[in-house]
Amino acid sequence: MTRYIGQRVLQALAVLWAAFTISFIVLFLLPSDPVSLAVDSAGSGTPADAAAIAELQARYGLDQPVLVQYWHSLVGAVQGDFGLSIAIGQPVTTAILDAVPSTLGLAGTALVLAIVFGSAVAYAATYTQIVWLKNLLLALPPLGVAVPTFWVGLLLLQLFSFRLRWFPAFGDAGVASLVLPAVTLALPTGAVIAQVLATSMATTWKQPFVDVARAKGVSRLRVQTRHVLRLSSIPAFTIAGVLVGTLLAGSVVVETVFSRAGVGRLTQTSVLAQDIPVVQGIVVLTSLVFVLVNLAVDLLYPLIDPRIVREYRPAQASAEPEKAHV
């Protein structure tokens, strides 16, 4: 178990380092100068003072060689310090932490709704023996994946906000304003979970142990709930961990449609302004959440199927019982 956990932690650290390095390279290769964009943010069109630009570049360390910039940024990131925002002059950590609660509530609610929706559709589709109902339920996930997120958000706004007036259209004021954005973000994610889980459950139903259990008189409901669902949940757990990154990326669109202040909106404005410290901080934060969720999923695998941990045991340890038996 220790070896299994150690490998997963090392992989998580490697993913974080790769995400930081790739984002640094991409942002460094951008043709525009973030300091010049920040100075001309008012759009006056007046040429900026070269001395002022040089002073700002020195303040943010943009006048140093690229390797020196990378090293300083990496050391600061390890310590949780991403410097100052070029666009607003605020510490990056403060700007991100101010935006995190709104996005975290949105993404967390959407993930719960996606898991409930996806699991319910997959369970019902594999349990029912009514052909037309099964086909209808299995047709829902591809539809949910195909429909664009922004279109779903606009449709929900038109129906539930402007016509029925059940929920507020914009802003971030209370639970009511969270419902429509969370549903918008949850639909495509839940559709993917439903597809994966339904396929896995249909395959597990064909295993010999299911026939043995049914021959012993175990009910169809009990077999599906206690045996089929448990063994089929590993692929669904895996895809749910991967889709956390999709939820965070989708928050950019959803927060824009519903005018919510969060990490998504902060990402949009920072990318447009080429605010390198803020974008790097958001990339690292998103990668950290993604890594932690997937690490938690990896640690749950042995509880579902203990055979996974056995693959990581040293060969000598597994051979000793056989030798003692002989």
Side-chain angles (χ1 to χ4, degrees), residues 182-195:
V183 172
T184 302
L185 197 56
L187 283 178
T189 305
V192 175
I193 295 176
Q195 280 184 312

Side-chain angles (χ1 to χ4, degrees), residues 9-325:
V9 171
L10 290 177
Q11 291 175 1
L13 294 176
V15 170
L16 288 175
W17 171 80
F20 176 86
T21 302
I22 293 173
S23 65
F24 179 88
I25 294 174
V26 170
L27 292 171
F28 180 80
L29 293 177
L30 291 176
S32 301
D33 180 16
V35 172
S36 300
L37 291 175
V39 171
D40 193 35
S41 60
S44 60
T46 305
D49 185 13
I53 293 179
E55 181 183 354
L56 288 175
Q57 288 178 337
R59 179 187 304 176
Y60 293 107
L62 299 178
D63 60 337
Q64 299 177 351
V66 59
L67 292 180
V68 176
Q69 294 184 39
Y70 173 78
W71 175 251
H72 288 167
S73 300
L74 181 60
V75 172
V78 172
Q79 298 174 350
D81 181 12
F82 295 93
L84 297 175
S85 168
I86 298 175
I88 60 179
Q90 186 181 17
V92 173
T93 305
T94 303
I96 294 177
L97 290 180
D98 290 342
V100 161
S102 176
T103 300
L104 191 61
L106 173 61
T109 305
L111 181 61
V112 172
L113 293 176
I115 293 175
V116 172
F117 163 73
S119 301
V121 171
Y123 189 96
T126 52
Y127 178 77
T128 183
Q129 295 179 306
I130 304 174
V131 177
W132 68 266
L133 181 58
K134 179 187 291 290
N135 293 335
L136 176 62
L137 292 172
L138 292 178
L140 292 178
L143 180 62
V145 174
V147 175
T149 304
F150 72 90
W151 185 84
V152 174
L154 294 176
L155 185 64
L156 293 177
L157 277 175
Q158 182 67 27
L159 179 60
F160 294 103
S161 294
F162 300 142
R163 290 194 178 183
L164 299 177
R165 301 183 183 277
W166 289 356
F167 303 101
F170 307 109
D172 184 11
V175 178
S177 63
L178 183 63
V179 174
L180 295 184
V183 172
T184 302
L185 197 56
L187 283 178
T189 305
V192 175
I193 295 176
Q195 280 184 312
V196 174
L197 185 59
T199 302
S200 180
M201 293 181 72
T203 303
T204 306
W205 264 108
K206 300 177 183 178
Q207 298 298 318
F209 76 89
V210 174
D211 296 332
V212 173
R214 294 289 287 158
K216 291 181 178 180
V218 181
S219 66
R220 180 179 177 84
L221 179 62
R222 185 179 180 86
V223 170
Q224 172 145 328
T225 303
R226 297 198 59 180
H227 302 288
V228 174
L229 181 61
R230 178 182 178 183
L231 293 178
S232 304
S233 60
I234 291 181
F237 266 117
T238 303
I239 199 65
V242 172
L243 288 175
V244 169
T246 305
L247 287 173
L248 295 176
S251 66
V252 177
V253 177
V254 173
E255 288 179 354
T256 301
V257 172
F258 291 92
S259 297
R260 293 175 58 90
V263 176
R265 289 289 297 276
L266 181 62
T267 303
Q268 180 192 20
T269 56
S270 300
V271 169
L272 292 176
Q274 293 189 15
D275 197 343
I276 294 176
V278 176
V279 174
Q280 281 191 327
I282 292 173
V283 169
V284 173
L285 172 66
T286 305
S287 303
L288 179 62
V289 174
F290 177 81
V291 163
L292 290 178
V293 172
N294 281 273
L295 182 61
V297 170
D298 288 338
L299 297 180
L300 285 175
Y301 283 163
L303 301 178
I304 301 174
D305 190 352
R307 294 173 298 179
I308 296 177
V309 179
R310 296 172 192 167
E311 299 176 0
Y312 290 83
R313 292 179 180 174
Q316 182 179 0
S318 59
E320 286 180 356
E322 297 181 1
K323 183 177 179 180
H325 178 72

